Amino acid sequence: MSKKLIIANWKLNPTTLKDAQKLAGSISLKAKNKVVLCPPTIYLSQIDYPNLGAQDCFWADKGSHTGQTSPAQLKDLGIKYCIVGHSEKREVGDTDEMVNAKVRACLAQKIIPVLCVGFGTTVEQDDLEVTDVLRAQLNINLKGVDPSKVVVAYEPVWAISKGNPYQTRAADADHAEKMAIFIKTKFKAGKVIYGASVNVNNAKGFLSQPNIDGLLTGGVSLMAKDFNTIINL
Ligand code: PGA
C-alpha cells in the first residue's frame, strides 16, 4: 500500500513554545506514512520537523492587512502545506469565495492547500444531501484552480471533536469512502483525506479505504503516543 498522508492540526494548542517543541520532538521521524505537523502559526519558525503546514493563511502576499499571514511568508519559512477553509474558520466568517482566494494564493507560492469541506452537514443527512453541500462548496472553492494540486479534506462538521476524539462519533468509513469517490470523480482532486474524530480505534478503517489518501487529525494529534500509532498504521 502506498504511503498515506497524515496531517496534524494542533489548532490553538499548546500554549507555550516549549510544549510545542516537546510535542513535535515526540513525533516519530521514521513513520510509515507521510506526516505533516500544523502547529499554531506563531510557532512555525521554531518547530523542527520535516513537513510543516500552517492552519490558515491570507490571500494577499503583502500589504496593509493587519494580523494576517501570507503564503509568501509561509513559503519563505519552508512551509509546504496550508489548511484552508476549516469549518472553525468558516464559522467565524470565511466564505467560499475567500477560501477560493486562499487556495489560489497558496498554489501561486507552490504551497499545497489542504482544502476542508463538509461544513453544514449534520449527522442526519444522507449521502445525497452531503454531496449537495460538497458540490456547492467545491464549485466555488476550486474555481480557476488545478484540482490535481489540491488535497481535499472531507470533514463532516458534526463529527469534529471538541478536543477529545474518543468522546465524539466519527463518520462511518464507508460513508467517507463514498464522499472521497465523489470528490475525486466530480472534482478531480489530487488527494482526498478524511478528518473528524479520528482516533487509534477508527484510523485503520479510514486508511484501508482505497480512495481515502490519508487523515486530517485534530485532538489525537496532541496525544503523542496515539498519534505515533496512527502514523505507523
Ligand atoms: P478532531 O479535529 O480530530 O479533533 O475531530 C479534526 C479537525 O478539526 O480537523
Side-chain angles (χ1 to χ4, degrees):
M1 212 184 350
S2 70
K3 275 194 180 192
K4 300 267 177 163
L5 177 65
I6 316 283
I7 302 183
N9 176 11
W10 290 1
K11 307 191 178 182
L12 194 50
N13 305 290
T15 49
T16 68
L17 173 62
K18 204 167 147 221
D19 285 347
Q21 288 171 329
K22 194 168 151 215
L23 178 59
S26 62
I27 307 306
S28 167
L29 291 167
K30 293 194 185 125
K32 218 170 112 189
N33 294 300
K34 179 163 183 176
V35 181
V36 178
L37 300 185
C38 303
T41 311
I42 195 167
Y43 300 143
L44 273 172
S45 62
Q46 295 180 77
I47 299 280
D48 191 16
Y49 199 79
N51 298 304
L52 290 174
Q55 296 176 14
D56 187 33
C57 67
F58 194 56
W59 51 79
D61 276 334
K62 61 179 183 174
S64 303
H65 305 290
T66 303
Q68 305 290 0
T69 304
S70 79
Q73 293 166 333
L74 296 173
K75 176 81 180 172
D76 183 55
L77 289 186
I79 306 305
K80 296 174 186 158
Y81 292 80
C82 183
I83 298 170
V84 291
H86 192 282
S87 62
E88 287 156 13
K89 289 294 301 180
R90 292 177 187 256
E91 216 175 83
V92 294
D94 273 21
T95 63
D96 281 321
E97 288 76 13
M98 285 158 75
V99 173
N100 174 247
K102 292 177 180 194
V103 170
R104 288 167 182 246
C106 284
L107 289 172
Q109 294 294 337
K110 300 205 162 29
I111 291 172
I112 299 171
V114 180
L115 166 62
C116 301
V117 291
F119 185 72
T121 58
T122 70
V123 70
E124 293 86 21
Q125 283 178 302
D126 64 27
D127 291 353
L128 271 179
E129 286 176 297
V130 178
T131 51
D132 280 349
V133 173
L134 298 181
R135 189 182 295 106
Q137 288 179 318
L138 289 166
N139 270 333
I140 302 175
N141 296 165
L142 290 174
K143 213 173 192 164
V145 166
D146 175 357
S148 69
K149 297 198 158 53
V150 178
V151 175
V152 174
Y154 171 56
E155 295 210 300
V157 174
W158 54 265
I160 294 178
S161 86
K162 293 278 172 272
N164 187 339
Y166 292 94
Q167 280 174 357
T168 324
R169 213 189 96 194
D172 295 334
D174 57 348
H175 163 75
E177 169 71 0
K178 273 190 222 154
M179 296 305 113
I181 293 170
F182 170 78
I183 294 166
K184 284 185 174 171
T185 335
K186 299 278 181 225
F187 289 93
K188 315 281 177 237
K191 281 188 197 301
V192 178
I193 62 177
Y194 169 81
S197 290
V198 171
N199 61 39
V200 164
N201 306 324
N202 61 27
K204 188 81 196 170
F206 294 109
L207 290 175
S208 43
Q209 301 296 326
N211 289 285
I212 297 181
D213 303 305
L215 302 167
L216 177 54
T217 63
V220 84
S221 70
L222 300 168
M223 305 170 184
K225 186 168 167 278
D226 290 5
F227 188 67
N228 277 322
T229 302
I230 290 172
I231 63 182
N232 280 299
L233 286 173

